Amino acid sequence: MTDATHPRDRGTDGGGTNGGGAGSGDTAGGGAPRPQESNVDADFAQYAGDLRKAEKKVAGEIDPGARALVVAVAVLVAMLSLILPHTGSASGIEVLTNAPDAKAELVTITSKVFVYLLTIFGIGASMLALLTRRWFIAWVALCGNAIACVAGMLAWWSRNTPGVGNVQPPSGVGIGLILGWLAVLVLTFHWARVVWARSTYHLALEEERRKEAAARDAHALSLQRKHDSRDLGDTD
C-alpha cells in the first residue's frame, strides 16, 4: 500500500512542480522586455543619434563637382579684371582705392559699388564657399554676385551716359569692367545651380524625416496596443 501511493504522490508533486514552472515561464514571457532586447534598442538609439548628426552635417555641405573648376576659373578672371583698365587709365584696384587716376576719369558711384561687390562676393565669398563647401556661404555668394550683375550693368551704362550737368565721361568701358561683369554673370549662374540642387535635397530630406517619424509613431502605437491587450488577457 505504501509503495502504491508513492508513484501517485510523486506524479502529483511533479505535475504541480511542472505546472508552476510553466506558470513562471508565462509570467516571464508576458512581463518586461528581455534585457538583450533592451540593450539592442539602446544601441540602436545611440547609433540613430550619431546618424542624425552626420546627416545634418552632410546636409549643410555642397558638392559642386565639375562646377568647382568653372567657379575657380571665374574667380581668377575676376581677380584679373581688377588689374586691367576699368575705364581709361584707371584699373579696378584704383577704382577700389579711389586713386587719382579714378578721380581723373570721373568714376561714378555705380562703378565703385560694382568693384566692391566683385571683390567681396565674386572673389572673397566664392573662394570661401569653394574651400569650406558650406551651403550657407554659397548662398551668400549667390546673392552678392546677383547684385553685382546689376551693378555691373549700371557701371557699363554710366561710362556711356553723360552725368550731372551733361558732363561726358572721359573714357568708355574698359576691358577690366567687361571681364569683371562676365565673371559675376558666370558665378551667379553656377552658384544658383549649386544652391538650388542643395535646396531640393533639403526638401527631400525633410520629407524623408517626416515619413520616418510617422513610421516610428505608428510602431510605438502598435506596441502600446499589444501591451494593453496583453495586460487585459493577464487580468482575465
Side-chain angles (χ1 to χ4, degrees):
M1 294 295 292
T2 304
D3 295 335
T5 57
H6 281 299
R8 185 173 62 249
D9 294 338
R10 286 196 300 269
T12 305
D13 294 339
T17 304
N18 293 334
S24 300
D26 294 340
T27 304
R34 297 177 181 178
Q36 185 177 2
E37 295 178 355
S38 300
N39 294 333
V40 171
D41 293 339
D43 294 339
F44 178 77
Q46 181 180 0
Y47 289 133
D50 295 338
L51 288 174
R52 290 192 188 95
K53 291 180 182 179
E55 183 180 309
K56 184 177 180 181
K57 181 181 179 181
V58 173
E61 296 179 352
I62 59 173
D63 184 15
R67 296 183 187 278
L69 179 60
V70 180
V71 171
V73 172
V75 170
L76 289 177
V77 172
M79 296 174 65
L80 179 64
S81 69
L82 293 179
I83 62 177
L84 293 175
H86 182 86
T87 177
S89 60
S91 64
I93 296 178
E94 291 174 335
V95 173
L96 187 65
T97 58
N98 198 23
D101 288 342
K103 295 179 180 179
E105 293 293 340
L106 301 179
V107 174
T108 59
I109 187 65
T110 54
S111 291
K112 295 178 181 179
V113 170
F114 169 70
V115 174
Y116 276 109
L117 292 175
L118 175 66
T119 305
I120 296 173
F121 297 102
I123 298 176
S126 296
M127 290 179 61
L128 192 61
L130 280 180
L131 292 175
T132 60
R133 301 296 180 95
R134 303 306 300 174
W135 180 85
F136 177 75
I137 300 177
W139 183 82
V140 171
L142 168 62
C143 295
N145 282 286
I147 298 174
C149 290
V150 180
M153 181 182 62
L154 294 177
W156 192 321
W157 171 80
S158 67
R159 301 314 302 170
N160 297 315
T161 304
V164 179
N166 201 24
V167 178
Q168 188 72 24
S171 304
V173 178
I175 186 64
L177 175 56
I178 296 174
L179 289 179
W181 190 48
L182 292 177
V184 295
L185 287 174
V186 173
L187 289 171
T188 301
F189 173 77
H190 286 283
W191 282 134
R193 296 294 299 270
V194 172
V195 170
W196 177 256
R198 181 55 58 177
S199 300
T200 306
Y201 174 76
H202 285 166
L203 293 175
L205 191 61
E206 291 177 0
E207 180 65 21
E208 184 177 355
R209 286 177 178 173
R210 284 194 292 267
K211 291 181 179 179
E212 290 179 355
R216 286 195 299 268
D217 292 341
H219 181 64
L221 183 60
S222 64
L223 290 178
Q224 183 65 32
R225 289 176 177 174
K226 289 181 180 179
H227 182 70
D228 294 341
S229 62
R230 185 182 300 169
D231 291 342
L232 290 175
D234 293 341
T235 303
D236 294 340

